Amino acid sequence: MILVVGGEKGGSGKSTLAQNLAVFLAKDGHDVLLLDADPQATTRDWAAERQGNEGLVALAFEHATGDLRKTLEDRAKRYQTIVVDAGGADSQALRSSMTIATHLLLPLRPKRRDLKTLPNLDQMITQAKTINPGLEVRAVISQCPPLPSQVTRILDAKEACRSFGIEPLEAITMQRNAFDDADENGESVYEIRPVDAKAIEEIDAIANEIWS
């Protein structure tokens, strides 16, 4: 199974989700590889932080950019699951990985600037599916403000995804300090202390929907 976490707009939490979903699998004994394909190397830096802490869940990691098809085909022979942090750009890494992946997850904030990327994402998905018709595509509304007044905005964002044939997950992520605090130390929300149960629930819900 190859999960690509990507999109056209930066800042929606793609690296955070890729990291935490990889740890979700690894802590349960899955043979998982986390591959950072983002030139900004956010996840590579996060993985480097982990190397100095023996108390964290063991997680295989690589960094690669450009055309990822041969890399992913080779790694799929070695690992049960690959999670790709493809970053927030219309890149060769994102487009090539979509032609190999089993699953594509598109984090989008409930903001106009993120939702304006949906037409181009739709074209990219259509092109990828000509080569990879079995690609499962889901969106996740991320970094939602924890205000009751934002519920309509979240629902509207999900409906915008559906208008392009991209089914959103029921699960969402909220703006939580735990995600930022964990990232700074190379940890996941499963490993940071003190525990933020709500952040863990959000990652659990996303993972369970994707891999149900």
Side-chain angles (χ1 to χ4, degrees):
M1 184 176 292
I2 302 173
L3 169 68
V4 174
V5 184
E8 192 181 13
K9 183 73 176 173
S12 61
K14 287 174 282 294
S15 295
T16 295
L17 283 171
Q19 294 158 12
N20 280 277
L21 289 170
V23 173
F24 170 89
L25 293 169
K27 71 182 179 64
D28 287 337
H30 287 257
D31 186 18
V32 57
L33 170 68
L34 177 60
L35 192 153
D36 186 0
D38 186 352
Q40 294 185 3
T42 302
T43 291
R44 182 183 65 186
D45 294 342
W46 174 85
E49 291 283 346
R50 290 184 70 83
Q51 291 179 356
N53 192 336
E54 295 181 356
L56 301 182
V57 175
L59 182 63
F61 170 79
E62 291 186 26
H63 181 257
T65 57
D67 189 339
L68 298 180
R69 287 175 294 185
K70 289 184 179 179
T71 299
L72 291 174
E73 286 174 347
D74 176 71
R75 302 306 185 269
K77 299 173 185 176
R78 307 188 211 172
Y79 294 94
Q80 183 180 7
T81 305
I82 302 172
V83 178
V84 181
D85 174 10
D90 182 353
S91 65
Q92 184 183 24
L94 174 59
R95 286 181 177 265
S96 63
S97 62
M98 287 168 61
T99 66
I100 296 292
T102 57
H103 295 73
L104 172 66
L105 182 65
L106 303 170
L108 297 163
R109 293 168 295 184
K111 296 182 177 182
R112 186 171 300 161
R113 67 176 71 103
D114 281 28
L115 300 177
K116 285 174 67 176
T117 67
L118 282 168
N120 191 50
L121 289 172
D122 180 49
Q123 292 181 0
M124 292 169 62
I125 292 164
T126 299
Q127 292 172 2
K129 284 192 170 184
T130 62
I131 301 170
N132 184 14
L135 178 65
E136 295 283 345
V137 182
R138 303 297 295 273
V140 58
I141 308 304
S142 62
Q143 300 183 0
C144 302
L147 300 171
S149 60
Q150 297 298 309
V151 172
T152 299
R153 193 177 285 246
I154 295 168
L155 294 175
D156 287 346
K158 289 187 175 186
E159 190 55 38
C161 294
R162 291 190 185 97
S163 71
F164 286 92
I166 301 171
E167 186 62 27
L169 300 178
E170 287 294 325
I172 63 174
T173 66
M174 307 295 286
Q175 292 176 349
R176 299 190 186 280
N177 291 335
F179 291 116
D180 290 333
D181 294 344
D183 180 76
E184 289 181 7
N185 299 311
E187 297 173 320
S188 69
V189 294
Y190 299 100
E191 300 158 324
I192 194 172
R193 297 294 181 268
V195 171
D196 186 329
K198 292 294 186 182
I200 290 175
E201 287 176 10
E202 289 173 3
I203 298 300
D204 282 351
I206 291 169
N208 288 328
E209 276 196 76
I210 293 171
W211 289 303
S212 60

